[in-house]
Amino acid sequence: MEHDKANFGILLHDVARMMRVGYDRRMKPLGLTRSQWWVLNRLYFLEGARQSDLAAELDIEKASLGRLLDRLEDKDWVERRPDPDDRRAKRVFLTSRVEPIMKIMREQAAETNAEALASLGKAEKENIIKSLTRIRADLARLYAPGGQSGND
């Protein structure tokens, strides 16, 4: 078991899982499920994304995203609008009604991040962010369509 404690992938997965659990607890009083807050969070950064692109970004099936968006539309937190360039596609937008929820979500995310990094010094925090950003970019290049996946 000692080997697992030093395995980068396992450590990264465990840290991410623990942060999600902590954030889930913070979102529960708002009545948000993990899937709902995840969609809202991604939309915050991808405002107006095509529904199919959002599904790909979230790594979920289009039908599953459609059901999630239905529930978020029922709360008047998101709206789907026709894509002006493709009449078959819909674009997804946050509504003004969700702004207070998004503000709380952002504050709680900052607190969750602060808790996770509390024992690190400023330089350590900067280094871990730089390293993870570089790793993410390397993996994005490696596994991008047409990239070297190691299975060629």
Side-chain angles (χ1 to χ4, degrees):
M1 271 309 199
E2 192 63 35
H3 180 263
D4 285 353
K5 291 179 182 177
N7 181 293
F8 174 75
I10 290 172
L11 280 170
L12 195 59
H13 178 271
D14 286 349
V15 168
R17 181 183 50 79
M18 290 174 189
M19 289 182 70
R20 282 191 308 270
V21 167
Y23 193 70
D24 278 346
R25 290 180 184 156
R26 292 173 185 272
M27 293 299 97
K28 192 170 187 158
L30 297 176
L32 286 169
T33 65
R34 179 178 294 175
S35 298
Q36 290 172 336
W37 64 252
W38 188 241
V39 170
L40 291 173
N41 180 62
R42 295 312 300 152
L43 269 177
Y44 181 82
F45 295 103
L46 299 170
E47 181 82 17
R50 284 187 182 167
Q51 189 169 324
S52 57
D53 294 339
L54 185 59
E57 174 72 23
L58 294 166
D59 195 26
I60 61 174
E61 296 294 323
K62 292 177 191 176
S64 297
L65 176 61
R67 288 188 296 275
L68 278 165
L69 292 174
D70 288 342
R71 287 192 286 278
L72 294 171
E73 271 187 322
D74 289 345
K75 294 180 179 190
D76 196 26
W77 289 351
V78 301
E79 66 180 7
R80 290 178 265 201
R81 301 179 199 156
D83 185 322
D85 300 323
D86 181 352
R87 62 185 176 92
R88 298 166 299 162
K90 297 281 187 192
R91 292 196 175 263
V92 187
F93 296 85
L94 297 172
T95 68
S96 60
R97 182 144 185 217
V98 79
E99 286 177 17
I101 298 295
M102 294 304 297
K103 184 176 188 291
I104 294 168
M105 287 175 60
R106 305 302 306 155
E107 290 168 354
Q108 294 299 316
E111 285 187 34
T112 302
N113 287 334
E115 286 176 352
L117 300 172
S119 67
L120 302 180
K122 184 179 178 186
E124 288 175 301
K125 290 175 190 176
E126 290 172 0
N127 284 335
I128 201 166
I129 297 297
K130 283 181 190 174
S131 296
L132 288 171
T133 300
R134 195 166 67 231
I135 290 167
R136 180 179 61 189
D138 290 346
L139 291 172
R141 274 192 305 278
L142 184 64
Y143 294 113
Q148 301 172 352
S149 65
N151 295 328
D152 297 333

